Amino acid sequence: MLAKIHVTLKDGVLDTQGKAVHHALNDLGYEEVQGVNLGKYVEVQLDGLSQAEAEDRVREMCQKLLANPVIESYRFTLDSQE
Amino acid sequence: MLAKIHVTLKDGVLDTQGKAVHHALNDLGYEEVQGVNLGKYVEVQLDGLSQAEAEDRVREMCQKLLANPVIESYRFTLDSQE
């Protein structure tokens, strides 16, 4: 099973990397860019779990290691095909 | 329009961050984890472009700034609702 996890900064947390990329894109001539948010994308390959077990375990992994719950939120999908 | 961009390492490029997270998860007791890949997730808010223009511009942004085409691949979707 493949867990596809997105970790992004919570609303209201200053996204300094996003701002830097935003300015860089504007400087390169992409004036149409109005905002940039930068996050992490994590794929975790899991073995031998049911869908329900995997959901619980991946949620735990996000809270313990993959995201900083103070400033980041996460969401994930589970893909049983891969 | 909102461009949702995923930037990941190409196959065959050593993912040292992914390996570190993989080992950390195993050490935390998540023995079911078989592999981890780490990538970037970028959201770019665009103004005043058609779907076709946006597609060309975002592809350019990826090649010039958001991804390193030597070692990274990218894919994106355009969401006109947001």
Side-chain angles (χ1 to χ4, degrees):
Chain A
M1 194 174 303
L2 188 71
K4 300 178 176 179
I5 305 163
H6 290 83
V7 180
T8 50
L9 285 173
K10 287 183 178 171
D11 284 345
V13 178
L14 184 67
D15 185 356
T16 51
Q17 279 192 82
K19 277 201 189 306
V21 172
H22 180 178
H23 289 141
L25 286 170
N26 284 162
D27 288 348
L28 284 171
Y30 300 103
E31 301 291 343
E32 69 271 31
V33 173
Q34 300 300 307
V36 176
N37 288 301
L38 260 174
K40 281 177 287 188
Y41 174 63
V42 191
E43 287 185 347
V44 178
Q45 187 76 43
L46 300 163
D47 219 22
L49 295 182
S50 71
Q51 185 89 5
E53 285 170 333
E55 218 169 297
D56 287 345
R57 300 282 280 180
V58 171
R59 189 172 298 112
E60 261 186 46
M61 292 177 207
C62 288
Q63 285 166 358
K64 283 195 190 168
L65 187 79
L66 301 176
N68 175 350
V70 178
I71 56 168
E72 291 173 327
S73 56
Y74 58 86
R75 59 190 162 85
F76 61 87
T77 57
L78 294 171
D79 197 334
S80 53
Q81 302 307 101
E82 290 172 87
Chain B
M1 193 173 306
L2 187 70
K4 300 178 176 180
I5 305 163
H6 290 83
V7 180
T8 49
L9 285 173
K10 287 184 178 170
D11 284 344
V13 178
L14 184 66
D15 184 356
T16 51
Q17 280 192 81
K19 277 201 190 303
V21 172
H22 180 178
H23 288 141
L25 286 171
N26 285 162
D27 288 348
L28 284 171
Y30 300 103
E31 301 291 343
E32 69 270 31
V33 173
Q34 302 298 306
V36 175
N37 288 302
L38 261 174
K40 280 178 287 187
Y41 174 63
V42 191
E43 286 185 349
V44 179
Q45 188 75 43
L46 301 162
D47 219 23
L49 294 182
S50 71
Q51 184 89 7
E53 286 170 333
E55 216 169 299
D56 288 346
R57 298 284 278 180
V58 171
R59 188 172 298 109
E60 260 187 49
M61 292 177 206
C62 288
Q63 283 165 358
K64 282 194 190 168
L65 187 79
L66 301 176
N68 175 349
V70 179
I71 56 168
E72 290 173 327
S73 56
Y74 58 86
R75 60 193 162 81
F76 62 87
T77 57
L78 295 170
D79 197 334
S80 53
Q81 302 308 101
E82 292 174 83

